[in-house]
Amino acid sequence: YALTGPGIEEAIRLAEDGLKRLGDHSLLHAALGVFHYLLYDFGFRSDEETLSRCTAEATRALELNPDLPQAWHAKGLSEYKRGNTPETVRLLRRELELEWNSDALWWLAFILSEAGLTTEARQFAAEAVERDPLTWMTTLSKGAADLFSGDFDSAVRLFRDEVARAMIDPAFSRWWLGQALAYAGEESEAAIQFERGAEAGDSLISEFCGLGALAFRGDKDGARTYFESNTNLQQAVLRDETFPRYVAQCFAKLGEFDTALRWLDQAADWGFTNHQFLSEHDRFLVPIRDDPRFMAFLERAREKQREFEA
């Protein structure tokens, strides 16, 4: 099954069967919280009922055993999909106090790299990879930490390795590789990677690859129509910090800076506050770095970044 809708549904069925056999069990409730998060985050079941179930299962796991690291992890993920990213960081740090594990490490690396706390993010990512080098999400966190620190060459190498290893959904690895290539100035190859990702399946990520393929081929009208007519993308960008930042990248590439600024605001609302990356390393935003609207956005991002530092 791997990380697919049917695979996650089967995991939920097995966990619920375990509860019937064992009764209330904190680890099984925590697992159910994570499984419902995955259904929601990957667009397999993006409704309030699924997210509420994620929260309820995590809450029950904590009630049963407040010292269970996995319960704090599940609770952190439920807050993440509510846009409470600083709270997610607090919950994951609590998880690490209970158990120093690669899942919490890579999640913190990923979130903190987007928040702009890149020194700590890279430390967490390096330790996550050292502890668990064969899990694709640890490599993703290292690549994201490098990417959002402006170290594009390293990010490209890491994401190329993930494409070659074929350990995950090919659309997912090519989506990240395409972004790294684009920021590194390799726009033609970025377009190729997005196109291959779009052809790799029918997931939410493959649809985002489709947008990137149009944008980095320079098809302004095609990209606008594709995005505005795609219900899945329209919903996804409203419940995440990564997706609206990516959409902003695509439209900034096309010179659609009003649209890009709108989606950067959305990304900041949800936790992408890495103003250093946007003002110093994002090559697609160079034409508007002196725009008063962009400067106001940067100040807002700085203010929101302080929520992570508190």
Side-chain angles (χ1 to χ4, degrees):
Y1 284 114
L3 193 58
T4 63
I8 299 168
E9 296 282 7
E10 176 65 6
I12 289 172
R13 186 191 69 76
L14 291 170
E16 289 177 339
D17 184 62
L19 285 174
K20 290 176 185 176
R21 294 170 184 268
L22 300 175
D24 258 355
H25 192 285
S26 57
L27 187 58
L28 287 173
H29 281 295
L32 281 167
V34 173
F35 297 153
H36 282 86
Y37 158 79
L38 291 171
L39 276 182
Y40 188 90
D41 189 48
F42 280 81
F44 300 122
R45 203 198 293 168
S46 301
D47 51 53
E48 177 58 32
E49 181 181 352
T50 302
L51 186 54
S52 294
R53 180 75 185 278
C54 170
T55 302
E57 296 290 352
T59 300
R60 183 56 181 157
L62 280 171
E63 289 172 350
L64 291 168
N65 186 355
D67 293 325
L68 181 70
Q70 293 87 345
W72 290 93
H73 192 86
K75 185 67 171 176
L77 296 183
S78 72
E79 291 298 318
Y80 177 66
K81 294 320 298 183
R82 295 287 185 190
N84 299 330
T85 322
E87 176 66 3
T88 300
V89 169
R90 186 189 72 80
L91 292 165
L92 293 175
R93 288 188 189 278
R94 174 57 181 151
E95 178 187 0
L96 281 183
E97 290 174 1
L98 294 167
E99 178 185 77
W100 200 260
N101 68 81
S102 61
D103 282 343
L105 287 166
W106 76 251
W107 258 113
L108 280 168
F110 184 76
I111 293 173
L112 292 175
S113 66
E114 292 191 317
L117 305 180
T118 52
T119 299
E120 190 175 16
R122 295 181 87 165
Q123 292 170 350
F124 281 138
E127 185 152 355
V129 171
E130 182 179 347
R131 295 175 69 88
D132 194 358
L134 299 181
T135 298
W136 60 273
M137 289 305 296
T138 62
T139 305
L140 167 64
S141 73
K142 176 71 164 61
D146 288 342
L147 178 70
F148 295 124
S149 300
D151 190 351
F152 301 133
D153 290 342
S154 178
V156 167
R157 285 195 301 272
L158 284 165
F159 294 136
R160 278 197 201 283
D161 288 345
E162 283 305 304
V163 170
R165 287 203 300 170
M167 295 288 286
I168 59 171
D169 175 0
F172 197 81
S173 52
R174 291 188 188 278
W175 182 58
W176 278 102
L177 176 56
Q179 292 179 71
L181 287 165
Y183 283 127
E186 302 291 337
E187 295 181 24
S188 295
E189 189 180 354
I192 292 171
Q193 295 299 333
F194 287 136
E195 287 167 354
R196 290 178 178 171
E199 296 164 357
D202 58 358
S203 67
L204 176 64
I205 298 300
S206 65
E207 292 180 38
F208 273 114
C209 283
L211 174 65
L214 291 167
F216 284 89
R217 290 299 186 198
D219 187 350
K220 183 183 295 189
D221 292 338
R224 186 186 302 113
T225 300
Y226 181 91
F227 179 69
E228 292 176 353
S229 63
N230 191 308
T231 302
N232 288 338
L233 301 191
Q234 292 289 327
Q235 292 177 346
V237 290
L238 297 176
R239 59 171 194 263
D240 193 272
E241 82 291 348
T242 302
F243 295 145
R245 188 271 316 155
Y246 167 73
V247 170
Q249 176 192 13
C250 290
F251 282 104
K253 150 66 183 170
L254 295 168
E256 296 279 318
F257 295 115
D258 289 345
T259 302
L261 283 167
R262 177 160 59 92
W263 290 114
L264 285 176
D265 275 333
Q266 175 68 21
D269 285 342
W270 277 70
F272 193 95
T273 58
N274 192 336
H275 55 86
Q276 302 95 326
F277 173 79
L278 297 171
S279 62
E280 299 172 16
H281 301 297
D282 188 331
R283 56 196 301 272
F284 302 106
L285 297 176
V286 169
I288 59 168
R289 282 184 181 166
D290 293 329
D291 187 313
R293 296 172 301 167
F294 183 62
M295 296 174 72
F297 162 77
L298 291 179
E299 183 54 40
R300 179 165 166 267
R302 290 187 190 97
E303 182 178 340
K304 291 187 71 65
Q305 189 183 81
R306 296 186 189 105
E307 296 176 20
F308 292 92
E309 298 169 338

